[in-house]
Coordinates of all heavy atoms in Angstrom, one line a residue:
M26 N -22.9 -65.4 -25.5 CA -23.4 -66.1 -26.7 C -24.4 -65.2 -27.3 O -24.4 -65.1 -28.6 CB -24.1 -67.5 -26.2 CG -24.5 -68.4 -27.4 SD -22.9 -68.9 -28.2 CE -23.5 -70.4 -28.8
K27 N -25.2 -64.5 -26.6 CA -26.2 -63.7 -27.1 C -25.6 -62.5 -28.0 O -26.1 -62.1 -29.1 CB -27.1 -63.1 -26.0 CG -28.6 -63.0 -26.4 CD -29.4 -62.6 -25.1 CE -31.0 -62.9 -25.4 NZ -31.7 -62.5 -24.4
M28 N -24.5 -61.9 -27.4 CA -23.8 -60.7 -28.1 C -23.3 -61.2 -29.4 O -23.3 -60.5 -30.4 CB -22.9 -60.2 -27.2 CG -23.4 -59.4 -25.9 SD -24.3 -57.9 -26.6 CE -23.0 -56.9 -27.0
S29 N -22.8 -62.5 -29.5 CA -22.2 -63.0 -30.7 C -23.2 -63.0 -31.8 O -23.0 -62.8 -32.9 CB -21.6 -64.3 -30.4 OG -21.0 -64.8 -31.6
S30 N -24.4 -63.6 -31.5 CA -25.3 -63.8 -32.5 C -26.0 -62.3 -32.8 O -26.3 -62.2 -34.1 CB -26.6 -64.6 -31.9 OG -27.3 -64.0 -30.9
I31 N -26.1 -61.3 -31.9 CA -26.5 -60.0 -32.4 C -25.6 -59.4 -33.3 O -25.7 -58.9 -34.4 CB -26.6 -59.1 -31.1 CG1 -27.8 -59.7 -30.4 CG2 -26.8 -57.7 -31.5 CD1 -28.0 -58.9 -29.1
N32 N -24.1 -59.6 -33.0 CA -23.1 -59.0 -33.8 C -23.1 -59.7 -35.2 O -22.9 -59.1 -36.4 CB -21.7 -59.2 -33.3 CG -21.6 -58.2 -32.1 OD1 -22.2 -57.2 -32.0 ND2 -20.7 -58.5 -31.2
C33 N -23.4 -60.9 -35.3 CA -23.4 -61.8 -36.6 C -24.6 -61.2 -37.4 O -24.5 -61.1 -38.6 CB -23.6 -63.2 -36.2 SG -23.5 -64.2 -37.7
K34 N -25.7 -60.9 -36.7 CA -26.8 -60.4 -37.5 C -26.7 -59.0 -38.0 O -27.1 -58.7 -39.1 CB -28.1 -60.4 -36.6 CG -28.7 -61.8 -36.3 CD -30.0 -61.9 -35.5 CE -30.5 -63.2 -35.2 NZ -31.7 -63.2 -34.4
R35 N -26.0 -58.2 -37.2 CA -25.6 -56.8 -37.6 C -24.8 -57.0 -38.9 O -24.9 -56.1 -39.8 CB -25.0 -56.1 -36.7 CG -25.9 -55.6 -35.6 CD -25.1 -54.7 -34.5 NE -26.1 -54.3 -33.5 CZ -25.6 -53.9 -32.3 NH1 -24.3 -53.7 -32.1 NH2 -26.5 -53.6 -31.3
E36 N -23.8 -57.8 -38.9 CA -22.9 -58.0 -39.9 C -23.6 -58.4 -41.2 O -23.4 -57.9 -42.3 CB -21.8 -58.9 -39.8 CG -20.7 -58.4 -38.6 CD -19.8 -59.4 -38.3 OE1 -19.7 -60.6 -38.8 OE2 -18.9 -59.0 -37.3
E37 N -24.6 -59.2 -41.1 CA -25.3 -59.7 -42.2 C -26.3 -58.5 -42.8 O -26.3 -58.5 -44.0 CB -26.4 -60.9 -41.8 CG -25.6 -62.2 -41.6 CD -26.6 -63.2 -41.1 OE1 -27.8 -63.0 -41.1 OE2 -26.1 -64.3 -40.5
V38 N -26.8 -57.8 -41.9 CA -27.6 -56.6 -42.4 C -26.7 -55.6 -43.0 O -27.0 -55.1 -44.2 CB -28.3 -56.0 -41.1 CG1 -29.0 -54.7 -41.4 CG2 -29.4 -56.9 -40.5
D39 N -25.6 -55.3 -42.5 CA -24.6 -54.4 -43.1 C -24.2 -54.9 -44.5 O -24.1 -54.1 -45.4 CB -23.3 -54.2 -42.3 CG -23.7 -53.3 -41.0 OD1 -24.8 -52.7 -40.9 OD2 -22.9 -53.4 -40.0
A40 N -23.9 -56.3 -44.5 CA -23.6 -56.8 -45.9 C -24.7 -56.6 -46.9 O -24.5 -56.4 -48.1 CB -23.1 -58.1 -45.7
Q41 N -25.9 -56.8 -46.5 CA -27.0 -56.7 -47.4 C -27.3 -55.3 -47.9 O -27.6 -55.0 -49.0 CB -28.3 -57.2 -46.8 CG -28.4 -58.8 -46.6 CD -29.6 -59.3 -45.7 OE1 -30.2 -58.5 -45.0 NE2 -29.9 -60.5 -45.8
E42 N -27.1 -54.3 -46.9 CA -27.2 -53.0 -47.2 C -26.3 -52.5 -48.2 O -26.5 -51.8 -49.2 CB -27.2 -52.0 -46.0 CG -28.3 -52.2 -45.0 CD -28.3 -51.4 -43.8 OE1 -27.3 -50.7 -43.6 OE2 -29.3 -51.4 -43.0
E43 N -25.0 -52.9 -48.1 CA -24.0 -52.6 -48.9 C -24.2 -53.3 -50.3 O -24.0 -52.6 -51.4 CB -22.6 -53.2 -48.4 CG -21.4 -52.7 -49.3 CD -20.1 -53.2 -48.7 OE1 -20.0 -53.3 -47.5 OE2 -19.1 -53.5 -49.5
L44 N -24.7 -54.3 -50.4 CA -25.1 -55.0 -51.6 C -26.2 -54.2 -52.4 O -26.1 -54.0 -53.6 CB -25.5 -56.4 -51.5 CG -25.8 -57.3 -52.6 CD1 -24.6 -57.4 -53.6 CD2 -26.4 -58.7 -52.3
T45 N -27.2 -53.8 -51.6 CA -28.2 -53.1 -52.1 C -27.7 -51.7 -52.7 O -28.1 -51.3 -53.8 CB -29.3 -52.7 -51.1 OG1 -29.8 -54.0 -50.7 CG2 -30.5 -51.9 -51.8
I46 N -26.8 -51.1 -51.9 CA -26.2 -49.8 -52.4 C -25.4 -50.0 -53.6 O -25.5 -49.3 -54.6 CB -25.4 -49.2 -51.3 CG1 -26.2 -48.8 -50.1 CG2 -24.6 -48.0 -51.8 CD1 -25.5 -48.3 -48.9
K47 N -24.8 -51.1 -53.7 CA -23.9 -51.4 -54.9 C -24.8 -51.6 -56.1 O -24.5 -51.2 -57.1 CB -23.0 -52.6 -54.7 CG -21.5 -52.3 -54.1 CD -20.7 -53.5 -54.3 CE -19.4 -53.2 -54.5 NZ -18.4 -54.4 -54.6
E48 N -25.9 -52.3 -56.0 CA -26.8 -52.7 -57.0 C -27.4 -51.4 -57.6 O -27.5 -51.2 -58.7 CB -27.9 -53.7 -56.5 CG -27.4 -55.0 -56.4 CD -28.5 -55.9 -55.8 OE1 -29.5 -55.5 -55.3 OE2 -28.2 -57.2 -55.8
E49 N -27.9 -50.4 -56.6 CA -28.5 -49.2 -57.0 C -27.5 -48.3 -57.7 O -27.8 -47.8 -58.8 CB -28.9 -48.5 -55.7 CG -30.2 -49.0 -55.2 CD -30.7 -48.3 -53.9 OE1 -30.1 -47.3 -53.6 OE2 -31.6 -48.9 -53.2
L50 N -26.3 -48.3 -57.3 CA -25.3 -47.5 -58.0 C -25.0 -48.1 -59.3 O -24.8 -47.3 -60.3 CB -24.0 -47.5 -57.0 CG -22.9 -46.3 -57.6 CD1 -23.5 -45.0 -57.6 CD2 -21.8 -46.4 -56.5
N51 N -24.9 -49.4 -59.5 CA -24.6 -50.1 -60.6 C -25.7 -49.7 -61.7 O -25.4 -49.5 -62.8 CB -24.4 -51.6 -60.5 CG -24.0 -52.2 -61.8 OD1 -23.1 -51.7 -62.5 ND2 -24.4 -53.4 -62.0
N52 N -27.0 -49.6 -61.3 CA -28.0 -49.3 -62.1 C -27.9 -47.9 -62.6 O -28.2 -47.5 -63.7 CB -29.4 -49.5 -61.4 CG -29.7 -51.0 -61.3 OD1 -29.2 -51.8 -62.0 ND2 -30.6 -51.4 -60.3
K53 N -27.6 -46.9 -61.7 CA -27.4 -45.6 -62.0 C -26.3 -45.4 -63.1 O -26.3 -44.5 -64.0 CB -27.1 -44.7 -60.7 CG -28.3 -44.5 -60.0 CD -28.0 -43.7 -58.7 CE -29.2 -43.4 -57.8 NZ -28.8 -42.7 -56.6
I54 N -25.2 -46.2 -62.9 CA -24.1 -46.2 -63.8 C -24.5 -46.6 -65.2 O -24.2 -45.9 -66.2 CB -22.9 -47.0 -63.2 CG1 -22.2 -46.4 -62.1 CG2 -21.9 -47.3 -64.5 CD1 -21.2 -47.2 -61.3
K55 N -25.4 -47.7 -65.3 CA -25.9 -48.1 -66.5 C -26.7 -47.0 -67.2 O -26.7 -46.8 -68.5 CB -26.6 -49.4 -66.3 CG -25.9 -50.7 -66.0 CD -26.7 -51.8 -65.8 CE -25.8 -53.1 -65.5 NZ -26.7 -54.2 -65.1
E56 N -27.7 -46.4 -66.5 CA -28.5 -45.4 -66.9 C -27.6 -44.2 -67.5 O -27.8 -43.7 -68.6 CB -29.4 -44.8 -65.9 CG -30.4 -45.7 -65.5 CD -31.3 -45.2 -64.3 OE1 -31.2 -44.0 -64.0 OE2 -32.1 -46.0 -63.8
Q57 N -26.6 -43.9 -66.7 CA -25.7 -42.8 -67.2 C -24.9 -43.2 -68.4 O -24.8 -42.2 -69.3 CB -24.7 -42.4 -66.0 CG -24.0 -41.1 -66.3 CD -24.9 -39.9 -66.1 OE1 -26.1 -40.0 -65.5 NE2 -24.6 -38.8 -66.4
K58 N -24.6 -44.4 -68.6 CA -23.9 -44.8 -69.8 C -24.8 -44.6 -71.1 O -24.4 -44.2 -72.1 CB -23.4 -46.1 -69.8 CG -22.1 -46.3 -68.9 CD -21.7 -47.6 -68.8 CE -20.5 -47.8 -67.9 NZ -20.0 -49.2 -67.7
I59 N -26.2 -45.0 -70.9 CA -27.1 -44.9 -71.8 C -27.4 -43.3 -72.3 O -27.4 -42.9 -73.5 CB -28.5 -45.5 -71.5 CG1 -28.3 -47.0 -71.4 CG2 -29.5 -45.1 -72.4 CD1 -29.3 -47.7 -70.8
V60 N -27.4 -42.5 -71.3 CA -27.5 -41.0 -71.6 C -26.4 -40.5 -72.3 O -26.6 -39.7 -73.2 CB -27.7 -40.4 -70.1 CG1 -27.7 -38.8 -70.3 CG2 -29.0 -40.6 -69.6
I61 N -25.1 -40.9 -71.9 CA -24.0 -40.4 -72.6 C -24.1 -41.0 -74.1 O -23.8 -40.2 -75.1 CB -22.7 -40.9 -71.9 CG1 -22.6 -40.0 -70.6 CG2 -21.5 -40.7 -72.8 CD1 -21.5 -40.5 -69.7
D62 N -24.5 -42.1 -74.3 CA -24.5 -42.8 -75.6 C -25.5 -41.9 -76.5 O -25.4 -41.7 -77.7 CB -24.9 -44.3 -75.6 CG -24.7 -44.9 -76.9 OD1 -23.7 -44.7 -77.6 OD2 -25.7 -45.6 -77.3
E63 N -26.7 -41.7 -75.9 CA -27.8 -41.0 -76.7 C -27.3 -39.6 -76.9 O -27.5 -39.1 -78.1 CB -29.0 -40.9 -75.8 CG -29.7 -42.3 -75.5 CD -30.5 -42.7 -76.8 OE1 -30.8 -41.9 -77.7 OE2 -30.5 -44.0 -76.9
L64 N -26.8 -38.9 -76.0 CA -26.1 -37.6 -76.4 C -25.1 -37.7 -77.3 O -25.1 -36.7 -78.2 CB -25.6 -36.9 -75.1 CG -26.6 -36.3 -74.0 CD1 -26.0 -35.9 -72.7 CD2 -27.4 -35.2 -74.7
S65 N -24.3 -38.6 -77.4 CA -23.2 -38.7 -78.3 C -23.7 -38.9 -79.8 O -23.1 -38.5 -80.7 CB -22.1 -39.8 -78.0 OG -21.7 -39.5 -76.8
N66 N -24.9 -39.5 -79.9 CA -25.4 -40.0 -81.1 C -26.4 -39.0 -81.7 O -27.0 -39.1 -82.7 CB -26.0 -41.3 -81.1 CG -24.9 -42.4 -81.0 OD1 -23.8 -42.3 -81.6 ND2 -25.1 -43.3 -80.0
L67 N -26.6 -37.9 -81.0 CA -27.6 -36.8 -81.5 C -27.0 -36.0 -82.7 O -25.9 -35.9 -82.8 CB -27.9 -35.7 -80.4 CG -28.8 -36.1 -79.3 CD1 -29.0 -35.1 -78.4 CD2 -30.2 -36.5 -79.9
K68 N -27.9 -35.7 -83.7 CA -27.4 -34.9 -84.8 C -27.1 -33.5 -84.3 O -27.6 -33.2 -83.3 CB -28.6 -34.9 -85.8 CG -28.8 -36.2 -86.6 CD -29.9 -36.1 -87.5 CE -30.3 -37.5 -88.2 NZ -31.4 -37.4 -89.1
K69 N -26.3 -32.8 -85.0 CA -25.8 -31.5 -84.7 C -26.9 -30.5 -84.4 O -26.8 -29.6 -83.5 CB -24.8 -31.0 -85.7 CG -23.5 -31.7 -85.7 CD -22.5 -31.1 -86.6 CE -21.2 -31.8 -86.6 NZ -20.2 -31.2 -87.6
N70 N -27.9 -30.6 -85.2 CA -29.0 -29.5 -85.1 C -30.1 -30.0 -84.0 O -31.0 -29.2 -83.9 CB -29.7 -29.4 -86.4 CG -30.3 -30.8 -87.0 OD1 -30.2 -31.8 -86.4 ND2 -31.2 -30.6 -88.0
R71 N -29.9 -31.0 -83.3 CA -30.9 -31.4 -82.2 C -30.7 -30.5 -80.9 O -29.7 -30.0 -80.6 CB -30.7 -32.8 -81.8 CG -31.0 -33.8 -82.9 CD -32.5 -33.7 -83.2 NE -32.9 -34.6 -84.3 CZ -34.1 -34.7 -84.6 NH1 -35.1 -33.9 -84.3 NH2 -34.4 -35.7 -85.6
I72 N -31.8 -30.1 -80.3 CA -31.9 -29.3 -79.1 C -31.9 -30.3 -77.9 O -32.5 -31.4 -77.9 CB -33.2 -28.5 -79.1 CG1 -33.1 -27.5 -80.3 CG2 -33.2 -27.7 -77.8 CD1 -34.3 -26.6 -80.5
V73 N -31.2 -29.8 -76.9 CA -31.0 -30.6 -75.6 C -31.6 -29.7 -74.4 O -31.4 -28.6 -74.4 CB -29.5 -31.0 -75.3 CG1 -29.5 -31.7 -74.0 CG2 -29.1 -31.9 -76.5
Y74 N -32.4 -30.4 -73.6 CA -33.0 -29.8 -72.5 C -32.5 -30.6 -71.2 O -32.4 -31.7 -71.3 CB -34.5 -29.9 -72.4 CG -35.0 -28.9 -73.5 CD1 -35.4 -29.4 -74.8 CD2 -35.4 -27.6 -73.3 CE1 -35.9 -28.7 -75.8 CE2 -36.0 -26.8 -74.4 CZ -36.2 -27.4 -75.6 OH -36.8 -26.5 -76.5
T75 N -32.2 -29.9 -70.1 CA -31.9 -30.5 -68.8 C -33.0 -30.2 -67.9 O -33.5 -29.0 -67.9 CB -30.6 -30.0 -68.3 OG1 -30.5 -28.6 -68.2 CG2 -29.4 -30.5 -69.2
Q76 N -33.3 -31.2 -67.0 CA -34.3 -31.0 -66.0 C -33.7 -30.5 -64.7 O -32.6 -30.9 -64.2 CB -35.0 -32.4 -65.8 CG -36.1 -32.2 -64.7 CD -36.8 -33.6 -64.6 OE1 -36.3 -34.6 -65.0 NE2 -38.0 -33.6 -63.9
Q77 N -34.3 -29.5 -64.0 CA -33.9 -29.0 -62.8 C -34.1 -30.1 -61.8 O -35.1 -30.8 -61.7 CB -34.5 -27.6 -62.5 CG -34.3 -26.6 -63.4 CD -32.8 -26.3 -63.3 OE1 -32.1 -26.3 -62.3 NE2 -32.4 -25.8 -64.4
P78 N -33.2 -30.2 -60.9 CA -33.3 -31.1 -59.7 C -34.6 -30.9 -59.1 O -34.9 -29.7 -58.7 CB -32.1 -30.9 -58.8 CG -31.2 -30.2 -59.7 CD -32.0 -29.4 -60.7
N79 N -35.2 -31.9 -58.7 CA -36.6 -31.9 -57.8 C -37.6 -31.1 -58.4 O -38.4 -30.4 -57.6 CB -36.2 -31.5 -56.4 CG -35.2 -32.3 -55.7 OD1 -35.2 -33.5 -56.0 ND2 -34.4 -31.8 -54.9
S80 N -37.7 -31.1 -59.8 CA -38.7 -30.2 -60.4 C -39.0 -30.8 -61.7 O -38.4 -31.7 -62.3 CB -38.0 -28.8 -60.7 OG -38.8 -28.0 -61.4
N81 N -40.2 -30.4 -62.3 CA -40.6 -30.7 -63.5 C -40.2 -29.7 -64.6 O -40.9 -29.8 -65.7 CB -42.1 -31.1 -63.5 CG -42.4 -32.3 -62.8 OD1 -41.6 -33.2 -62.8 ND2 -43.6 -32.4 -62.1
I82 N -39.4 -28.9 -64.3 CA -39.0 -27.7 -65.3 C -37.7 -28.1 -66.0 O -36.7 -28.5 -65.4 CB -38.8 -26.5 -64.5 CG1 -40.0 -26.1 -63.7 CG2 -38.3 -25.3 -65.4 CD1 -39.8 -24.9 -62.8
F83 N -37.8 -27.9 -67.3 CA -36.6 -28.1 -68.2 C -36.2 -26.9 -68.8 O -36.9 -26.1 -69.2 CB -37.1 -29.1 -69.4 CG -37.3 -30.5 -68.9 CD1 -38.7 -30.8 -68.4 CD2 -36.4 -31.6 -69.1 CE1 -38.9 -32.1 -67.9 CE2 -36.6 -32.9 -68.6 CZ -37.9 -33.1 -68.0
F84 N -34.8 -26.8 -68.9 CA -34.2 -25.6 -69.5 C -33.3 -26.0 -70.7 O -32.8 -27.1 -70.8 CB -33.3 -24.8 -68.6 CG -34.1 -24.1 -67.5 CD1 -34.4 -24.7 -66.2 CD2 -34.7 -22.9 -67.8 CE1 -35.1 -24.0 -65.2 CE2 -35.3 -22.2 -66.8 CZ -35.6 -22.8 -65.6
L85 N -33.4 -25.2 -71.8 CA -32.5 -25.3 -72.9 C -31.0 -25.4 -72.4 O -30.6 -24.7 -71.6 CB -32.6 -24.3 -73.8 CG -32.0 -24.4 -75.2 CD1 -32.4 -25.5 -76.1 CD2 -32.1 -23.1 -76.0
A86 N -30.3 -26.4 -73.0 CA -28.8 -26.6 -72.5 C -28.1 -26.9 -73.7 O -28.5 -27.2 -74.9 CB -28.8 -27.8 -71.6
D87 N -26.7 -26.7 -73.6 CA -25.7 -26.8 -74.7 C -25.4 -28.3 -74.6 O -25.2 -29.0 -73.6 CB -24.5 -26.0 -74.2 CG -23.4 -26.2 -75.3 OD1 -23.6 -25.7 -76.5 OD2 -22.4 -26.9 -75.0
K88 N -25.3 -28.9 -75.8 CA -25.2 -30.3 -75.9 C -23.8 -30.7 -75.4 O -23.7 -31.7 -74.6 CB -25.4 -30.8 -77.4 CG -25.1 -32.3 -77.7 CD -25.3 -32.5 -79.1 CE -24.5 -33.8 -79.4 NZ -24.3 -34.0 -80.9
G89 N -22.9 -30.0 -75.8 CA -21.5 -30.3 -75.4 C -21.2 -30.2 -73.8 O -20.6 -31.0 -73.3
E90 N -21.8 -29.2 -73.3 CA -21.6 -28.9 -71.8 C -22.4 -30.0 -71.1 O -21.9 -30.6 -70.1 CB -22.2 -27.6 -71.4 CG -21.3 -26.5 -71.8 CD -21.9 -25.2 -71.3 OE1 -22.9 -25.1 -70.6 OE2 -21.5 -24.1 -71.9
T91 N -23.7 -30.4 -71.6 CA -24.3 -31.5 -71.0 C -23.6 -32.7 -71.1 O -23.6 -33.6 -70.2 CB -25.8 -31.5 -71.6 OG1 -26.4 -30.3 -71.6 CG2 -26.7 -32.6 -71.0
L92 N -23.1 -33.2 -72.3 CA -22.3 -34.4 -72.4 C -21.2 -34.4 -71.5 O -20.8 -35.4 -70.9 CB -21.9 -34.6 -73.8 CG -21.1 -35.8 -74.2 CD1 -22.0 -37.0 -73.9 CD2 -20.7 -35.7 -75.8
S93 N -20.5 -33.3 -71.4 CA -19.3 -33.3 -70.5 C -19.7 -33.4 -68.9 O -19.0 -34.3 -68.2 CB -18.7 -32.0 -70.6 OG -17.6 -31.7 -69.7
S94 N -20.9 -32.9 -68.7 CA -21.2 -33.0 -67.3 C -21.7 -34.3 -67.0 O -21.3 -34.9 -65.9 CB -22.5 -32.0 -67.1 OG -23.1 -32.2 -65.9
C95 N -22.3 -35.0 -68.0 CA -22.6 -36.5 -67.7 C -21.5 -37.3 -67.7 O -21.6 -38.3 -66.8 CB -23.6 -36.9 -68.9 SG -25.3 -36.2 -68.8
K96 N -20.5 -37.0 -68.4 CA -19.3 -37.8 -68.4 C -18.6 -37.7 -66.9 O -18.1 -38.7 -66.3 CB -18.3 -37.5 -69.4 CG -18.7 -38.0 -70.8 CD -17.8 -37.8 -71.9 CE -18.2 -38.2 -73.3 NZ -17.2 -37.9 -74.3
K97 N -18.5 -36.5 -66.4 CA -18.0 -36.2 -65.1 C -18.8 -37.1 -64.1 O -18.1 -37.6 -63.1 CB -18.0 -34.8 -64.8 CG -16.9 -34.0 -65.6 CD -17.0 -32.6 -65.3 CE -16.0 -31.8 -66.1 NZ -16.0 -30.3 -65.9
E98 N -20.1 -36.9 -64.2 CA -21.0 -37.6 -63.2 C -20.7 -39.2 -63.3 O -20.7 -39.8 -62.3 CB -22.4 -37.3 -63.5 CG -23.3 -37.8 -62.4 CD -24.8 -37.2 -62.7 OE1 -24.9 -36.2 -63.4 OE2 -25.7 -37.9 -62.2
L99 N -20.6 -39.7 -64.5 CA -20.2 -41.1 -64.6 C -19.0 -41.5 -64.0 O -18.8 -42.5 -63.2 CB -20.2 -41.6 -66.1 CG -19.9 -43.0 -66.4 CD1 -20.9 -43.9 -65.9 CD2 -19.7 -43.2 -67.9
D100 N -17.9 -40.7 -64.2 CA -16.6 -40.9 -63.6 C -16.7 -40.9 -62.1 O -16.2 -41.8 -61.3 CB -15.6 -39.8 -64.0 CG -15.2 -40.0 -65.5 OD1 -15.4 -41.1 -66.1 OD2 -14.7 -39.1 -66.0
T101 N -17.5 -40.0 -61.5 CA -17.7 -39.9 -60.1 C -18.4 -41.2 -59.5 O -18.0 -41.7 -58.5 CB -18.5 -38.7 -59.6 OG1 -17.9 -37.5 -60.1 CG2 -18.7 -38.5 -58.2
M102 N -19.5 -41.7 -60.2 CA -20.2 -42.8 -59.8 C -19.3 -44.1 -59.9 O -19.4 -44.9 -59.1 CB -21.5 -42.9 -60.6 CG -22.5 -41.9 -60.2 SD -24.1 -42.3 -61.0 CE -23.9 -41.7 -62.7
T103 N -18.4 -44.1 -60.9 CA -17.7 -45.3 -61.2 C -16.7 -45.4 -60.0 O -16.4 -46.5 -59.6 CB -17.0 -45.2 -62.6 OG1 -18.0 -45.1 -63.5 CG2 -16.1 -46.4 -62.9
K104 N -16.0 -44.3 -59.7 CA -15.1 -44.2 -58.5 C -15.7 -44.5 -57.3 O -15.1 -45.4 -56.6 CB -14.4 -42.8 -58.5 CG -13.5 -42.6 -59.5 CD -13.0 -41.1 -59.5 CE -12.1 -40.8 -60.8 NZ -11.6 -39.4 -60.7
E105 N -16.8 -44.1 -57.1 CA -17.6 -44.5 -55.8 C -17.9 -45.9 -55.7 O -17.8 -46.6 -54.7 CB -18.9 -43.6 -55.7 CG -19.7 -43.8 -54.5 CD -20.9 -42.8 -54.6 OE1 -20.9 -41.9 -55.1 OE2 -21.8 -43.3 -53.7
Y106 N -18.3 -46.5 -56.9 CA -18.7 -48.0 -57.0 C -17.4 -48.8 -56.7 O -17.4 -49.8 -56.0 CB -19.2 -48.3 -58.4 CG -19.6 -49.7 -58.6 CD1 -20.8 -50.2 -58.0 CD2 -18.8 -50.6 -59.1 CE1 -21.3 -51.4 -58.2 CE2 -19.2 -51.9 -59.3 CZ -20.4 -52.4 -58.8 OH -20.8 -53.7 -58.9
Q107 N -16.2 -48.4 -57.2 CA -15.0 -49.2 -57.0 C -14.6 -49.0 -55.6 O -13.9 -50.0 -55.0 CB -13.9 -48.6 -57.9 CG -14.2 -48.9 -59.4 CD -13.1 -48.2 -60.3 OE1 -12.6 -47.3 -59.9 NE2 -13.2 -48.7 -61.6
D108 N -14.8 -47.9 -54.9 CA -14.5 -47.8 -53.5 C -15.4 -48.6 -52.6 O -14.9 -48.8 -51.5 CB -14.6 -46.3 -53.1 CG -13.6 -45.4 -53.8 OD1 -12.5 -46.0 -54.2 OD2 -13.7 -44.2 -53.7
L109 N -16.6 -49.0 -53.0 CA -17.4 -49.9 -52.2 C -16.9 -51.3 -52.0 O -16.1 -51.9 -52.8 CB -18.8 -49.9 -52.7 CG -19.6 -48.6 -52.6 CD1 -21.0 -48.8 -53.2 CD2 -19.8 -48.2 -51.2

């Protein structure tokens, strides 16, 4: 009887963790969609900078390449979300 209740609690914890992961991923997907929309609506003469990972340093970037990269990242996140 004790093992059954432990297994049940583990399943509940696993389900909660999966839900939390799904929510976080969903929020990242929403953010990425906003970034793509903002990049798509920039005027041609606007300058785009990208932030280096784990840093406060920004570098000049090509708008088209940045948009393409963001779209690929969104596709990857969407596929990951669907797999959950």
Side-chain angles (χ1 to χ4, degrees):
M26 191 69 154
K27 218 175 197 181
M28 287 299 282
S29 178
S30 67
I31 291 173
N32 287 338
C33 186
K34 286 182 182 179
R35 282 186 186 161
E36 289 174 4
E37 288 176 14
V38 170
D39 289 344
Q41 287 175 343
E42 287 176 359
E43 185 177 328
L44 183 61
T45 302
I46 291 170
K47 268 190 148 180
E48 288 174 352
E49 288 176 10
L50 190 54
N51 190 35
N52 287 339
K53 288 181 182 180
I54 289 171
K55 288 177 184 178
E56 288 176 15
Q57 195 68 13
K58 286 180 180 179
I59 292 169
V60 169
I61 290 170
D62 188 51
E63 291 290 330
L64 283 171
S65 298
N66 290 317
L67 281 178
K68 294 180 182 177
K69 289 183 181 183
N70 61 348
R71 293 296 181 181
I72 298 173
V73 175
Y74 294 90
T75 56
Q76 185 176 9
Q77 291 298 327
N79 303 321
S80 172
N81 289 329
I82 300 172
F83 290 82
F84 288 100
L85 185 62
D87 180 71
K88 179 183 155 189
E90 288 177 13
T91 305
L92 182 59
S93 176
S94 172
C95 288
K96 286 181 179 179
K97 286 178 185 174
E98 192 173 332
L99 176 63
D100 289 342
T101 303
M102 285 190 283
T103 303
K104 288 176 185 173
E105 187 179 333
Y106 184 80
Q107 289 172 347
D108 290 342
L109 289 177

